[in-house]
Amino acid sequence: MKLLRTINAALGSATGFQVRRAGPRIVARPAVTQRPTGTRGAIEPRPPADPAIDRLLRRPVFVIAPVRSGSTLLRLTLNAHSRLHAPHELHFRRLEVAHATRLADRSLSLLGLDRTELEHLLWDRVLHRELVRSGKQTLVEKTPGNAFVFRRIAACWPDARFLFLLRHPAAVARSWHEADPVKRNPEHAAHDALRYLNAVERARQALPGHTVRYEELTAEPETTLRAVCDFLEVDFEPGMLEYGQAPGGTAGLEKGLGDWREKVRSGRVQPGRELPPPEAVPTVLREICETWGYAEAETAAGQLVPSGRSS
């Protein structure tokens, strides 16, 4: 140390620099990549290697629907059934798994558990827990965002069943605008709604299931719900029409997790609103209107009569 001080004294006076002891060498370790919430690369969905072991949930039901399509109303009527549990939107697709170390990644990979399968195990456990807590037999999940991951859902639960809920696209866009007029003007609402509408249509083309129209649910609730019950292989229960009187009723309705407004809080199926006239349908929505059979629709007493019923 004395020699170092002597050298530094000489260097300092002559050059202004000094010599310092080098500290331990720090080697930068590669960071473990973690996907930002809600984003990920392309995923090739695949079924579980052993469904009997890897899945607790049996024959779950998923409502594939756009935003503002009446999915909360359908959920509440189904939840009023003694065998069906339809909780608020669970947004389970946003639950993601990340490895804290490469060793964890490597170790679990040797067990055949990559991140996708680990997420599927997590999804299954969360939904199964909710079903068991309800004391019922079948879970029904209706988060609108499910339309964007329908392939993963079908791969995660190979025995899943699907209900496709349709509503006049212009009515969807109008309701989406009214839900937050500051955030979404009518044009923005129409384009944003179209993302959901197209996703639902892609799911309808790819998956088997049963189609429900909001206009039929509100105009002929018993007939519509009887058809849904037949598809789900359960008996129709009249209490589904007066869902507010069922255990739980409309309790727990919360903004951001479905429709929370007075109409749905009434506890019974209400008539639908009068639909926009054909000339008020935004241009961007006309093609999907035609695809869903609404292009030639007529309105009568505020109810829509589609050009053809879907099943």
Side-chain angles (χ1 to χ4, degrees):
M1 294 296 295
K2 184 177 180 180
L3 176 61
L4 182 60
R5 286 196 295 270
T6 302
I7 293 174
N8 278 335
L11 282 174
S13 62
T15 67
F17 294 98
Q18 291 184 340
V19 177
R20 292 190 178 183
R21 185 185 301 272
R25 185 183 180 190
I26 299 176
V27 179
R29 300 178 63 183
V32 177
T33 58
Q34 182 171 349
R35 293 157 295 175
T37 301
T39 63
R40 59 187 302 151
I43 293 176
E44 184 63 33
R46 64 179 184 279
D50 190 339
I53 296 176
D54 295 340
R55 296 294 179 268
L56 299 174
L57 201 61
R58 306 299 178 195
R59 305 190 74 201
V61 179
F62 295 94
V63 177
I64 305 298
V67 292
R68 312 304 302 173
S69 61
S71 59
T72 298
L73 174 62
L74 179 59
R75 173 182 81 78
L76 291 171
T77 60
L78 296 180
N79 193 54
H81 195 284
S82 62
R83 295 178 59 85
L84 306 175
H85 179 51
H88 62 71
E89 297 173 4
L90 299 180
H91 294 269
F92 64 90
R93 78 182 182 101
R94 296 301 190 183
L95 300 177
E96 297 185 347
V97 170
H99 298 111
T101 67
R102 293 189 181 280
L103 281 177
D105 190 350
R106 179 183 175 189
S107 175
L108 292 172
S109 294
L110 291 174
L111 299 179
L113 298 174
D114 61 11
R115 289 186 178 184
T116 301
E117 180 56 25
L118 286 170
E119 287 174 359
H120 288 179
L121 289 174
L122 175 60
W123 294 1
D124 181 72
R125 181 66 179 89
V126 170
L127 269 60
H128 181 261
R129 175 182 182 272
E130 177 61 25
L131 178 62
V132 171
R133 283 162 54 91
S134 75
K136 295 185 179 182
Q137 289 74 42
T138 300
L139 183 110
V140 181
E141 215 289 324
K142 72 91 173 175
T143 306
N146 289 345
F148 297 109
V149 291
F150 70 86
R151 289 186 178 86
R152 280 197 71 182
I153 292 174
C156 181
W157 293 282
D159 59 352
R161 292 168 289 174
F162 297 92
L163 293 171
F164 304 105
L165 178 61
L166 309 187
R167 186 181 184 184
H168 193 297
V172 170
R174 179 177 65 182
S175 183
W176 193 220
H177 160 64
E178 293 173 351
D180 194 338
V182 175
K183 181 179 179 180
R184 291 178 292 269
N185 62 36
E187 182 180 5
H188 181 192
H191 281 85
D192 197 36
L194 185 60
R195 294 191 306 114
Y196 287 88
L197 299 166
N198 284 336
V200 171
E201 180 57 22
R202 287 192 293 269
R204 290 182 71 214
Q205 294 297 323
L207 300 173
H210 177 76
T211 297
V212 182
R213 291 184 185 267
Y214 171 79
E215 295 81 15
E216 295 171 356
L217 177 60
T218 55
E220 305 171 2
E222 181 172 343
T223 300
T224 303
L225 290 173
R226 282 185 179 276
V228 172
C229 288
D230 286 345
F231 173 72
L232 298 180
E233 300 175 354
V234 297
D235 294 331
F236 169 77
E237 296 179 357
M240 299 171 72
L241 302 175
E242 300 287 341
Y243 58 83
Q245 300 179 18
T250 58
L253 292 177
E254 185 175 343
K255 183 177 180 180
L257 296 177
D259 193 352
W260 72 98
R261 300 188 181 189
E262 189 62 32
K263 195 170 184 178
V264 77
R265 288 182 181 274
S266 70
R268 62 190 303 271
V269 181
Q270 301 285 339
R273 296 170 57 183
E274 185 174 354
L275 295 171
E279 61 272 17
V281 175
T283 302
V284 70
L285 298 179
R286 290 177 183 172
E287 182 176 351
I288 192 68
C289 282
E290 183 174 354
T291 299
W292 284 6
Y294 288 103
E296 303 299 327
E298 299 177 355
T299 56
Q303 296 299 318
L304 183 75
V305 182
S307 58
R309 296 175 69 100
S310 300
S311 61

